[in-house]
Amino acid sequence: MGNLFGSLFGKKPTKNAGDISEHDKAVLQLKRQRDRLIKYRKQAEKVLAREVEMAKALVLKGDKKKALLCLKKKKYQQQCIEKTETQMMNLEEMVNSIEFASMRNEFLKAYEEGKNALDYLNSQTSLEDVEKLMEDTAEAIAYQDEVNQALNGALTSEDEEAIAAELAMIEEMEAAEQVAGMVDAPTKPVQQQQEEAEPQVMDKKTNCQRSRSGVTLGCRVPVPVGFLSLFLSLSLSLS
């Protein structure tokens, strides 16, 4: 499996410098011939231009016979250039055809490898397994539908309304408890902090300690002296 996907998506093996296929040799030979034709065409164009200049010079000298000969040579060079261009076009078409054929063969090879990979993956899952899975899924869905229908049939419209009303009542109670908790929670701590923060004053008449705002914080109760003597004598006798 690894070799299959490796050959399909992996890197192609690199060729050594000396490994040249017949395809590469053919394309290289055609390109060399094309380069020779290009070189020949440039030389022919130079000769053509020179023949035109010579013909003009001979006409000025009055030697029409030699001027006519130069124009004949020019015409011949033009024909050679046209033939050269035709041969160059044929070579270009041949190179393009070879490269396209090579690309097509590589595509077909990759397509075949992809088809083999797909066949291998399909062989890992049988048609029976797929059909069994679909049947099990359909049975599970049908069972769930039956359960839903049974539940819907067991409850009347009055039951549905009563359930909805009970749910709304629970939601209202929960919301009321949350609001009450938010209001009552900080009352005592804040009041206690305010009382502790206020300055305290002792009322000598009542022996009570009050805040500046008049809130009674605590009182001292006087103990009679006779009661203390009696308490002390009882304690000594018991010891």
Side-chain angles (χ1 to χ4, degrees):
M1 181 63 182
N3 294 333
L4 180 62
F5 284 104
S7 61
L8 182 61
F9 301 108
K11 295 181 179 180
K12 296 182 179 180
T14 56
K15 296 182 179 180
N16 297 327
D19 297 339
I20 300 177
S21 62
E22 294 298 326
H23 157 262
D24 296 334
K25 291 180 180 179
V27 173
L28 181 61
Q29 190 68 24
L30 289 172
K31 289 183 177 180
R32 286 178 177 175
Q33 186 63 32
R34 180 196 60 189
D35 294 339
R36 294 193 188 100
L37 291 174
I38 292 174
K39 184 178 180 180
Y40 174 79
R41 185 187 63 183
K42 291 180 179 179
Q43 293 177 349
E45 289 175 350
K46 291 179 180 180
V47 172
L48 187 146
R50 187 171 62 250
E51 294 295 338
V52 172
E53 294 297 328
M54 291 178 62
K56 291 179 180 179
L58 292 171
V59 169
L60 293 176
K61 292 181 179 181
D63 194 348
K64 294 183 179 180
K65 186 175 181 180
K66 290 184 178 181
L68 184 61
L69 180 61
C70 290
L71 293 177
K72 289 181 179 180
K73 290 181 180 180
K74 169 183 169 290
K75 185 64 175 178
Y76 174 74
Q77 292 297 331
Q78 286 180 338
Q79 293 175 351
C80 290
I81 291 173
E82 291 175 358
K83 292 180 181 178
T84 301
E85 290 178 349
T86 302
Q87 292 176 354
M88 288 175 59
M89 290 180 59
N90 293 334
L91 288 176
E92 288 291 343
E93 290 178 359
M94 182 64 67
V95 171
N96 293 333
S97 298
I98 293 174
E99 291 180 348
F100 176 77
S102 177
M103 187 184 306
R104 180 194 59 197
N105 291 340
E106 291 180 0
F107 167 77
L108 293 176
K109 183 178 180 180
Y111 190 84
E112 183 179 4
E113 292 177 353
K115 183 257 182 187
N116 294 335
L118 182 60
D119 291 341
Y120 176 82
L121 293 175
N122 290 334
S123 66
Q124 302 303 305
T125 305
S126 62
L127 182 60
E128 291 78 8
D129 295 337
V130 176
E131 292 177 349
K132 181 66 168 55
L133 178 61
M134 297 301 294
E135 291 176 359
D136 294 342
T137 304
E139 291 178 359
I141 295 174
Y143 177 77
Q144 185 64 38
D145 292 339
E146 291 178 0
V147 171
N148 293 335
Q149 291 177 3
L151 292 175
N152 294 332
L155 300 176
T156 63
S157 59
E158 290 80 6
D159 295 333
E160 296 287 348
E161 293 177 357
I163 292 172
E166 183 177 1
L167 177 60
M169 182 178 65
I170 293 174
E171 291 176 348
E172 291 178 358
M173 293 175 61
E174 291 293 332
E177 290 180 359
Q178 291 180 1
V179 172
M182 293 173 62
V183 173
D184 296 340
T187 303
K188 292 182 179 180
V190 172
Q191 183 177 0
Q192 184 176 358
Q193 290 177 6
Q194 290 177 350
E195 292 176 354
E196 293 176 354
E198 290 180 355
Q200 300 175 1
V201 178
M202 178 63 71
D203 189 351
K204 295 181 180 181
K205 293 181 180 181
T206 59
N207 289 329
C208 293
Q209 193 174 14
R210 303 177 184 277
S211 64
R212 292 292 186 185
S213 58
V215 179
T216 302
L217 302 176
C219 297
R220 296 179 181 179
V221 180
V223 180
V225 177
F227 179 78
L228 289 174
S229 300
L230 178 61
F231 178 76
L232 290 173
S233 61
L234 289 173
S235 299
L236 292 172
S237 62
L238 290 174
S239 61

